[in-house]
Amino acid sequence: MDSPKVPLRSAATELAGLLDSPEIGRLVDELEATRWTGRPGYPLRAMVGMALAKSMYAVPTWTRTVALVREHAALQAALGCEGEPPSVYACYRFAAKLRAYKPLLDACLARVTASLHAELPEMGTDLAIDASDMPAYANGQRYLSKNGPERQRYSDPDATWGHRSAVSTRKGGGFYGYRLHAAVCARTDLPVAWRVETAASHESNYVAPLLDTVAARGFDPATCALDMGYDNNRVYGECEDRHVRPIIPLRETPAVKAGKAGPPSCEHGTWRFAGSDSKRGASKWRCPTGECSPASRWVAADRLHPLVPRETPRWRKLYRGRAAVEREFGRLKHEWALAPLRVRGLDRVALHADLTILAKLACALSRARAVPLAA
Ligand SMILES: [Zn+2]
């Protein structure tokens, strides 16, 4: 999607704008209201700003974020903490507070996605779902030595072993850690729903909960593209139950080998697709010459015969949209410091993912709202 040209702003100016936006300002206010002790702390606006700055500047740790702010006058001004930047200890305490008040952060994320949806009405129409590996912090080896015993103690005991496929020059294989499961808008590349699970979790188990979060955030997706790892009957049913057309390539299962997939055919050739009826839950196919009787028939939708047939240009176009989720994982990891993980434990890793995606989405929102430059 083309994004409008907007005037360039410094990251510090952009950060101040985010903190003053209604979506994030309300998070600051709600966190402020939870302060029931008189214990003095850093203003929560500055602490939320530290969390956003960490991702916007792609800094892996709180320690380095604090060091950055300490020598960055413009950032201190944006955070409203001139001369006394928050300490590392304050950042850790703030992260613990966010974990304790996770519903407030979830509500903030829902406000940001809803406002993006208002700015970009086509957002969420076509989705792409996938999972991406997030290796745990330390303990890369499963065996203590070659042919030796399996490791029993891990510095992050929450994580589990999972498998990842080969990408480019990287070999596939086992990895110890977590997986980020995400539903990304294929038209805008923006994440709509996501969750962190441990690496052993099978990706296809999270399609239904992700689609439910997408719906709870006010989106009404028409299609969802997924890779072959999701090609099973349950995923088709979960998508269709939610009125989302699944776009998934076929695995070579026995039924596929037996030729049960694909369009019907007759002595006149392969039948042509003549439209789907979602209420009927079937697609219509026609004899190429019309000589058969009847010349057309309905084929009930299932994994082998989805309502958007794999033979159609529409299916191919939608499946190409699946690349959006891969691109977004790459951006979050490399440009927004989603990876490498520098925290341990499922709830800390989940918070890290939430804050990273919050920064990304909030910046996208402020750009969508910015007045475009005259052409
Ligand atoms: Zn025929």
Side-chain angles (χ1 to χ4, degrees):
M1 195 194 76
D2 282 344
S3 46
K5 298 256 179 301
V6 296
L8 277 177
R9 283 182 297 172
S10 79
T13 310
E14 185 166 30
L15 176 57
L18 301 187
L19 291 171
D20 297 329
S21 71
E23 294 80 10
I24 291 178
R26 189 164 149 199
L27 174 66
V28 172
D29 293 343
E30 288 175 348
L31 288 170
E32 205 79 61
T34 65
R35 244 183 206 173
W36 50 275
T37 63
R39 190 177 184 181
Y42 279 94
L44 281 158
R45 185 180 176 281
M47 299 314 302
V48 172
M50 291 292 284
L52 294 173
K54 185 165 171 285
S55 298
M56 291 170 70
Y57 288 82
V59 184
T61 61
W62 288 117
T63 308
R64 284 179 167 217
T65 309
V66 167
L68 170 73
V69 173
R70 196 166 284 152
E71 57 191 39
H72 199 311
L75 264 178
Q76 290 184 23
L79 299 175
C81 60
E82 289 99 325
E84 44 169 0
S87 65
V88 176
Y89 177 64
C91 293
Y92 284 132
R93 269 204 319 181
F94 174 65
K97 186 182 183 86
L98 280 180
R99 290 196 304 275
Y101 291 97
K102 181 169 165 32
L104 298 185
L105 180 58
D106 288 343
C108 176
L109 285 161
R111 285 194 294 277
V112 172
T113 52
S115 298
L116 273 166
H117 195 188
E119 295 291 331
L120 310 167
E122 65 170 9
M123 181 180 171
T125 306
D126 297 311
L127 295 177
I129 287 183
D130 200 2
S132 188
D133 53 279
M134 300 168 73
Y137 186 21
N139 289 145
Q141 247 87 47
R142 186 164 196 164
Y143 297 95
L144 297 175
S145 57
K146 195 173 178 178
N147 302 321
E150 195 169 330
R151 182 186 297 279
Q152 296 297 322
R153 296 177 57 177
Y154 290 92
S155 46
D156 185 349
D158 274 11
T160 54
W161 282 95
H163 187 273
R164 65 180 175 188
S165 45
V167 173
S168 182
T169 55
R170 191 196 71 192
K171 277 208 291 187
F175 78 100
Y176 184 76
Y178 301 88
R179 261 205 187 101
L180 176 63
H181 302 263
V184 168
C185 168
R187 299 190 189 185
T188 62
D189 284 14
L190 296 169
V192 181
W194 58 91
R195 57 194 290 146
V196 174
E197 301 289 340
T198 75
S201 58
H202 194 272
E203 54 192 12
S204 81
N205 290 333
Y206 301 99
V207 174
L210 283 174
L211 288 178
D212 289 342
T213 304
V214 167
R217 289 184 172 170
F219 294 88
D220 185 17
T223 70
C224 182
L226 305 103
D227 69 21
M228 218 180 272
Y230 294 87
D231 178 34
N232 66 54
N233 287 318
R234 179 175 45 78
V235 171
Y236 283 84
E238 287 169 352
C239 290
E240 285 295 346
D241 287 349
R242 291 162 178 79
H243 309 291
V244 177
R245 302 283 97 82
I247 305 295
I248 314 175
L250 271 183
R251 278 182 302 124
E252 282 283 313
T253 52
V256 175
K257 286 195 186 121
K260 291 183 184 159
S265 61
C266 64
E267 52 185 313
H268 310 108
T270 305
W271 286 30
R272 296 201 183 114
F273 177 60
S276 280
D277 184 334
S278 58
K279 284 212 184 73
R280 191 192 280 254
S283 52
K284 195 175 194 180
W285 296 82
R286 264 200 199 102
C287 164
T289 63
E291 290 169 69
C292 281
S293 160
S296 69
R297 65 184 172 93
W298 289 97
V299 176
D302 61 11
R303 171 180 160 253
L304 301 175
H305 305 95
L307 292 180
V308 181
R310 298 188 183 83
E311 294 75 17
T312 56
R314 182 166 181 235
W315 188 94
R316 287 191 287 276
K317 177 171 179 282
L318 289 168
Y319 191 67
R320 276 198 297 276
R322 206 195 66 83
V325 65
E326 306 271 5
R327 277 196 300 273
E328 187 57 14
F329 282 142
R331 276 190 216 105
L332 289 170
K333 286 182 181 183
H334 302 300
E335 293 168 34
W336 297 82
L338 180 65
L341 288 179
R342 286 297 173 262
V343 289
R344 299 185 178 103
L346 180 58
D347 57 345
R348 286 175 168 81
V349 174
L351 175 66
H352 171 64
D354 280 349
L355 291 175
T356 305
I357 296 173
L358 174 63
K360 164 79 205 259
L361 291 177
C363 286
L365 176 59
S366 99
R367 277 160 214 185
R369 277 177 176 157
V371 182
L373 286 174

